[in-house]
Amino acid sequence: MLTVLALALAAPPDVPKEAPVTHIRIHVGDETLTATLDDSVTARSFAALLPLELTLSDYASTEKVANLPETLDTTGAPAAYAAKAGDLTYYAPWGNLAVFYKDFRSASGLVRLGAFDGSYDALLSADGVPIHIERMQE
């Protein structure tokens, strides 16, 4: 009995490893915004494309969109997602990045990539303005 107790005390508890976090910077003119990507296949697929130069355009007075140079891997992604203001998402049917500045109903093929860490107001006037997205050094 003492041996079992000694082994139990000596064995380290199973400590869950923290999910890897990818922080990104988005440069809009003179403004720099930050966001954190989720730990998902699709978010990692997006991060692998960085750095990116994109030009956003407004869509439906709800989101800013830009075409991505490659399709992202959506393996294991939910079939639909209801976006919240401040979300970075991927719309798989069109292959584009969608940055929501208003909440949106659940849409089939919409996959969350992450969210802004703070204000994203600089994006609201970014129609036709090139933006630069890059990974932050961890």
Side-chain angles (χ1 to χ4, degrees):
M1 181 104 169
L2 187 56
T3 306
V4 173
L5 180 59
L7 286 174
L9 292 174
D14 288 335
V15 177
K17 294 181 181 179
E18 287 188 28
V21 175
T22 302
H23 297 283
I24 61 173
R25 264 193 288 267
I26 302 166
H27 301 280
V28 183
D30 294 335
E31 299 280 334
T32 301
L33 313 174
T34 62
T36 302
L37 297 180
D38 295 341
D39 182 30
S40 69
V41 170
T42 309
R44 287 190 298 274
S45 183
F46 175 71
L49 295 178
L50 301 179
L52 282 174
E53 297 285 335
L54 301 172
T55 301
L56 296 174
S57 59
D58 196 74
Y59 187 78
S61 299
T62 303
E63 61 191 288
K64 300 290 183 172
V65 299
N67 292 326
L68 292 175
E70 296 177 22
T71 59
L72 302 182
D73 183 351
T74 58
T75 302
Y81 178 69
K84 306 258 185 287
D87 279 347
L88 295 158
T89 65
Y90 174 63
Y91 187 55
W94 293 352
N96 66 4
L97 176 69
V99 180
F100 282 84
Y101 58 90
K102 291 183 181 174
D103 291 353
F104 191 69
R105 63 177 167 69
S106 181
S108 185
L110 189 63
V111 180
R112 182 183 142 105
L113 298 174
F116 284 93
D117 298 326
S119 175
Y120 50 88
D121 289 346
L123 286 178
L124 300 180
S125 59
D127 269 11
V129 175
I131 65 167
H132 177 80
I133 307 173
E134 64 187 9
R135 283 180 190 235
M136 292 172 64
Q137 297 301 322
E138 300 294 330

